[in-house]
Each structure stands twice: as structure tokens, then as C-alpha cells.
Amino acid sequence: MQHNPKKINSELNPNVSVDCVIFGFDLEQLTVLLIDRGEISSAFGPRLALPGNLIYDNENLDMAADRVLDELTGLKNIYLEQVGAFGDPDRIHKESDREWLKSIRAEPEARVITVAYYTLVTMSQYKPQASSFAKNADWVPVNEIKELAFDHFEILQAAKEKLKQKIKIQPIGFNLLPEKFTLSQLHRLYESILDKPLDKRNFRRKIQKLDILTSLREKQRGVPHKPSLLYRFNEEKYQELTQTGFDNFGF
Amino acid sequence: MQHNPKKINSELNPNVSVDCVIFGFDLEQLTVLLIDRGEISSAFGPRLALPGNLIYDNENLDMAADRVLDELTGLKNIYLEQVGAFGDPDRIHKESDREWLKSIRAEPEARVITVAYYTLVTMSQYKPQASSFAKNADWVPVNEIKELAFDHFEILQAAKEKLKQKIKIQPIGFNLLPEKFTLSQLHRLYESILDKPLDKRNFRRKIQKLDILTSLREKQRGVPHKPSLLYRFNEEKYQELTQTGFDNFGF
DNA sequence: TTTGGATAGTGTAAATTTGACACAAAGCTA
DNA sequence: TAGCTTTGTGTCAAATTTACACTATCCAAA
């Protein structure tokens, strides 16, 4: 928790926390980085929760979200979007929740509102076992999550919906892919986020017409089938597009 | 401020406030209900601000927004959508801001984060002078607003953008119109929200094809030109539509 | 080396949607 | 009754969307 020593002199605000829905994509499906709260909670409710923490009084909300992400994964400068504020007075129900909150320095009796963010990371840049902060963290496919601690399941639903809407307007999906990727991977990504099948040929036609991909003269290697061409996201062309007011990346 | 006596026994949370962007439509342009903070602030900065207040510890955020709206306008059951949380540690800059916050019982030294909402009301249902709470409140056309107190201008921008995106997905604009309205009024409404001109015939064709309007056998009266037919929003047909997964109300 | 399994990559035709555009009808006022 | 103002309407061309099936390429196993 002392990962960012500059912050430690400031005071934690006991009323406001930040929770992060950290999305990843394992090239098959959308996943979320969850932390396991361990035995302490297992008898009472869901062990899995979104990573989060109270905010410091001298940081703004976006910075707090960056910090939580950094503490857990060591990643910086990650795509980040606010989902919204969640704050039912009774959002902390269980004795186990209170115990656990104490263990991370929160005031379990205070009413806490949380500001939720979602972030998009490239899974290959981060494996949970690589970081000492992430001993209890792991990627879980979104579709397999049926419950979470506190009101985190509700937050996850809201984040999925925000992401879905956002990707119809901006091609932010590239933040979830490695630098080089195939059209099929991009296709799968859009299908998982939009949660519906998309026709292969129509998808390819549409994405190619946008002209925001650079085709690398390079093929996939080691796959037991016809290897795919690799592409890279072309930031410059994307900027050109948006600056002309274009905003129809919808599917 | 004691409009809702049930709440008065609970404690105010000094760290969390709710601000409301109350949109209206004067049949010409989009407007926002602002309060005038009066002389106390005039020497230091903008007098106009969004209505808002601290939240009580026993109410959830949506309820708090409803309450603020009710206190100011007396309106209940209004369309309400969260914009997000705003919370730069230095969002309260000026001495005048501190004075004013004291006057509404806030703790000016505490770091306050605010959760912003936007709401859509029918202007004809509410005239500022009708309510004793609203002596200092008035409708201001959105396009004429150049600055607001605190970070409220930023919040307003965010709210406008949210509304713009939302109306592309759901036909929520009817909440801004009287029960009976003309297609031209609806047309103007979409133009003000989307902030761009829309071709009259194409707009009409599109809105009619959605089949969510009931044509009343009734004409406008007293207008110095050809009177328009009046329409009503058809909630049932809209529900049918959305339940089939339709979500393209975009323009 | 041949064969089978798996995914990549490609084109077309029909239906739908969009965008551009102009004039007659209806009511009010002077 | 003449003039002003806004309503209400149709068409055509272009662009976009949808549905749909087969060959090419690589790896692995026989």
C-alpha cells in the first residue's frame, strides 16, 4: 500500500473511495482483474471484489484511480474512464465487510461513497503473479462473474454498459490488445464487449474502411492454421478522423 | 431548506454534495435552471451556480438529487441521470465561495466532492416565481452561459455531453416538452441538444418511422401562421420497441 | 509425403437508410 | 384580400447495411 510514498503524508478521506473495474482481454473473452479478500469473508459472502481504496485529501479522483491501478499492477498511463458514483448508505452490509475494511484502514462505520472507474489494460503487460501487490489478484472472465462483494457487482454491470456505449463512439478497444494484433482478435473483442455476434466479413469491411489500422508486413507464427496478418492501431489517422467531427465507430 | 422535514434529523455529510443540472426547453432553446448567489459573491466571481446541497447520511445519491430538485422546484418523479463525480481538492477557490458555503451549512474547509446529476423538466410545469424557494433561481439559455461558480461550468459541459449521447440512444427528449407538442418543437429540441441543424423533412420521416408518437386530432390555436398538428409521446409503443433490443434513435 | 483440421481472407446482390432539395396549404394580421 | 409565417409533403441518388459460402494457408498427425 506504500507504493506511492508521496501520498502517505496526506490524510485519507474516510468518506470517499475509488474502485476500479480493470478490463482485460485474453484474446478469447473480456476479463476483469479481481482481488480475493480471503478466508476472512468466505463464511459471509463473496470473496471476490474490485480493487479499490480510500482517496487522499490532496488528490483528485482521477489521480486516485491511477494510484489504485498503479498499486495493484504497477501500470501507469492507462486508459481510464469514470463510471460514476455509488453510494447507498447501506452498501456495506456484512460484519465481514467491516472487518475487511478495517484491514485496509477504512472506517467501517462511516458512510462511504465510492467513485467507480473502468480501465483498459493489455493483459500481456501484466500477469498477477509478477507483482507482490497482486498476490490475491486474478483475471476472471466477465461472463463467469455472478456476484461480488459490497455493491461491486452492480458497479461491474454499469462499467460494462459504459464500455459498450463508449466503443460505439470511439475505437478504444485497442487499449485491450497487444500492439500487434489480428483482425480476428479485434473481431472477437468487439463481439465480447457488445455481447453479440458480428458478421466476419462485414466487420472487416467496416473496420478497414475507417482506415485507422496499419497493416504490418508480418504474419502470425506458430499457429496450427493459416496464419493471420498482423495490424497496428494508427493513432495519427485516428486523430485526423476525430478532428473532422467523425464519431461513428458503431457496430 | 426544510422542505423535506423527514430528513432534518439525519446528519449532513460534510464531504459529499449533489449538484443538479436542471434542463428545460422554452420551445426555442435548451435552458438551465441556475441560482443567483447574490451580492456576496459578485465582487469575486460568477454569481450564478447550479443548485446543489450536501447529502444526508441516510439518503442515497439519487434520493439526494431528487431532494435538491424538490426543494428548488417542488417537482417530484423527474427524469434524472447521473453525470458523474467531480472532486478536485481545490475546486473551491475563492473566499467568496467559502462564505457562501457557510451560509448553506457546508464546511468550507473540508474537501468536498460533488456528484452531479442532470434532470429534464417541462418548463411550463415550473415557473421560478411560483415557488418561495426559488426567489433567486431562473432559467438561462444554455448557449448564453459563459461561466459559473466553482467547477459548475465544467459540470454543465459534461451534462450537455451526456444528454447529447443519451438522446441518440433513448428518446428522452419528451421529458422536456409539454404533453402535447408539435413536430417542429420536437425538431427544434433535437437541434438544440445535438447542437446542429437537422433537415426538416428527414427529421420528420425518421421520427415518424419510429412510431412512438400518437397523432392527436387537434391543432395548435392562436398562432399567426398555419397551425400545427399536436402529438403525444406513446410510452407503450416505446416500451415495445426497446424490449426488442432496438436502440437506434440517433440523428 | 499426404491428408485432415482449423482459421484467414475475400465479393456480391438486395434491402434499407441517408441526404439533398422546393413548393403548395393554412391560418393570422394589417 | 394581400402578405407574412410556418406547416407539411415526395423523390431520387448515394451510401450503408445485411446476408451469405468457398478457397487459401499453415500445422500436425498419420
Side-chain angles (χ1 to χ4, degrees):
Chain A
M1 221 71 79
Q2 277 72 357
H3 204 233
N4 201 333
K6 282 183 312 233
K7 297 288 158 46
I8 215 63
N9 293 327
S10 178
E11 273 183 51
L12 285 168
N13 184 317
N15 291 297
V16 184
S17 66
V18 159
D19 287 315
C20 288
V21 179
I22 303 172
F23 284 116
F25 180 64
D26 64 10
L27 304 187
E28 290 289 333
Q29 52 192 331
L30 200 62
T31 62
V32 177
L33 191 57
L34 297 178
I35 54 177
D36 185 340
R37 302 188 296 145
E39 293 300 332
I40 195 172
S41 69
S42 63
F44 300 92
R47 295 174 56 143
L48 297 179
L50 297 173
N53 211 337
L54 295 176
I55 67 171
Y56 289 95
D57 268 333
N58 68 346
E59 66 186 349
N60 70 31
L61 298 170
D62 290 3
M63 281 166 49
D66 278 334
R67 176 175 55 80
V68 166
L69 188 66
D70 181 23
E71 283 170 359
L72 185 66
T73 67
L75 296 173
K76 298 173 201 290
N77 297 321
I78 293 300
Y79 181 89
L80 191 119
E81 197 79 35
Q82 192 185 110
V83 177
F86 295 77
D88 280 354
D90 57 351
R91 60 184 285 269
I92 298 167
H93 311 277
K94 305 182 193 63
E95 187 54 33
S96 54
D97 291 343
R98 294 204 171 78
E99 288 301 317
W100 187 71
L101 284 175
K102 263 187 216 162
S103 76
I104 61 163
R105 292 211 243 126
E107 291 269 357
E109 299 311 326
R111 182 257 179 79
V112 175
I113 82 155
T114 198
V115 180
Y117 284 80
Y118 73 82
T119 73
L120 306 180
V121 314
T122 301
M123 272 181 70
S124 56
Q125 287 178 352
Y126 169 69
K127 302 285 182 205
Q129 63 271 21
S131 158
S132 64
F133 291 101
K135 286 220 182 67
N136 305 318
D138 212 351
W139 294 106
V140 181
V142 167
N143 292 330
E144 294 174 11
I145 302 172
K146 303 296 181 218
E147 59 172 13
L148 291 174
F150 312 121
D151 54 358
H152 288 184
F153 189 72
E154 182 193 349
I155 292 174
L156 174 63
Q157 302 300 327
K160 280 165 63 179
E161 188 58 32
K162 286 261 173 178
L163 174 56
K164 197 170 178 175
Q165 296 306 329
K166 188 70 174 180
I167 208 174
K168 294 181 180 178
I169 295 174
Q170 269 184 44
I172 55 174
F174 300 104
N175 293 294
L176 288 162
L177 289 170
E179 194 178 341
K180 300 172 182 182
F181 54 86
T182 71
L183 286 184
S184 293
Q185 289 163 356
L186 189 61
H187 182 203
R188 272 297 304 141
L189 175 58
Y190 271 78
E191 288 187 325
S192 349
I193 293 177
L194 298 175
D195 201 27
K196 69 177 182 192
L198 300 171
D199 180 85
K200 182 168 60 158
R201 280 180 285 193
N202 294 340
F203 175 83
R204 284 166 171 256
R205 174 162 27 109
K206 191 158 184 174
I207 208 82
Q208 306 246 35
K209 178 134 50 75
L210 291 178
D211 195 32
I212 52 174
L213 294 186
T214 304
S215 171
L216 305 174
R217 305 209 163 284
E218 187 180 349
K219 286 177 185 172
Q220 255 182 332
R221 289 197 48 109
V223 288
H225 55 261
K226 177 174 177 178
S228 175
L229 285 172
L230 292 171
Y231 291 82
R232 187 196 307 274
F233 176 57
N234 189 330
E235 180 78 28
E236 297 81 42
K237 291 209 172 168
Y238 165 65
Q239 293 299 342
E240 284 177 34
L241 248 192
T242 50
Q243 273 155 32
T244 65
F246 183 85
D247 78 340
N248 177 19
F249 297 89
F251 286 91
Chain B
M1 219 72 81
Q2 277 72 355
H3 205 232
N4 200 333
K6 282 184 313 235
K7 296 289 160 44
I8 214 64
N9 294 326
S10 178
E11 275 182 51
L12 284 168
N13 185 317
N15 290 296
V16 184
S17 67
V18 159
D19 287 316
C20 288
V21 179
I22 303 172
F23 284 116
F25 180 64
D26 65 10
L27 303 187
E28 289 289 334
Q29 51 193 333
L30 200 62
T31 62
V32 177
L33 191 57
L34 298 178
I35 55 177
D36 185 340
R37 303 187 297 145
E39 293 300 331
I40 193 171
S41 69
S42 63
F44 300 94
R47 295 174 56 143
L48 297 179
L50 297 173
N53 211 335
L54 294 175
I55 67 171
Y56 289 94
D57 268 332
N58 69 345
E59 65 186 349
N60 71 29
L61 298 171
D62 290 2
M63 281 166 49
D66 278 333
R67 177 175 53 82
V68 165
L69 189 65
D70 181 23
E71 283 170 359
L72 185 65
T73 67
L75 296 173
K76 299 175 200 289
N77 297 321
I78 293 300
Y79 181 88
L80 192 119
E81 197 79 33
Q82 193 185 110
V83 177
F86 295 76
D88 280 353
D90 58 350
R91 59 184 286 267
I92 298 167
H93 311 276
K94 304 181 193 64
E95 187 55 33
S96 56
D97 291 343
R98 294 204 170 79
E99 289 301 316
W100 188 70
L101 284 175
K102 263 186 217 163
S103 77
I104 61 163
R105 291 212 243 124
E107 291 268 356
E109 299 311 326
R111 183 258 179 80
V112 175
I113 82 156
T114 197
V115 181
Y117 284 80
Y118 73 82
T119 73
L120 306 181
V121 315
T122 301
M123 273 181 70
S124 55
Q125 286 178 351
Y126 169 71
K127 302 285 180 204
Q129 62 274 20
S131 158
S132 63
F133 291 102
K135 286 218 183 69
N136 305 318
D138 212 351
W139 294 106
V140 181
V142 167
N143 292 329
E144 294 174 11
I145 303 171
K146 302 298 182 217
E147 59 173 12
L148 291 174
F150 312 121
D151 53 359
H152 288 185
F153 188 72
E154 182 193 348
I155 292 174
L156 174 63
Q157 300 301 326
K160 279 166 63 179
E161 188 59 32
K162 285 259 171 179
L163 174 57
K164 198 169 175 175
Q165 296 306 330
K166 188 71 175 180
I167 207 173
K168 294 181 180 178
I169 295 174
Q170 269 184 46
I172 55 174
F174 300 104
N175 293 293
L176 288 162
L177 290 170
E179 193 177 342
K180 301 171 181 181
F181 53 86
T182 71
L183 285 183
S184 294
Q185 289 163 356
L186 189 61
H187 182 204
R188 272 296 305 140
L189 175 57
Y190 271 78
E191 287 187 326
S192 348
I193 293 177
L194 298 175
D195 201 26
K196 69 178 182 192
L198 300 170
D199 180 85
K200 181 168 60 160
R201 279 181 284 193
N202 294 340
F203 175 83
R204 284 166 173 255
R205 183 188 353 143
K206 191 158 185 174
I207 209 83
Q208 306 246 35
K209 177 135 50 71
L210 292 179
D211 195 31
I212 52 175
L213 295 185
T214 304
S215 171
L216 306 175
R217 305 208 162 284
E218 188 180 349
K219 285 177 185 171
Q220 255 182 332
R221 290 194 48 108
V223 288
H225 55 262
K226 176 174 176 177
S228 175
L229 286 171
L230 293 170
Y231 292 81
R232 186 197 307 273
F233 176 57
N234 188 331
E235 180 78 29
E236 298 79 43
K237 291 210 172 168
Y238 166 65
Q239 292 300 341
E240 284 177 34
L241 247 192
T242 49
Q243 273 155 32
T244 65
F246 183 86
D247 78 340
N248 178 19
F249 298 90
F251 287 90

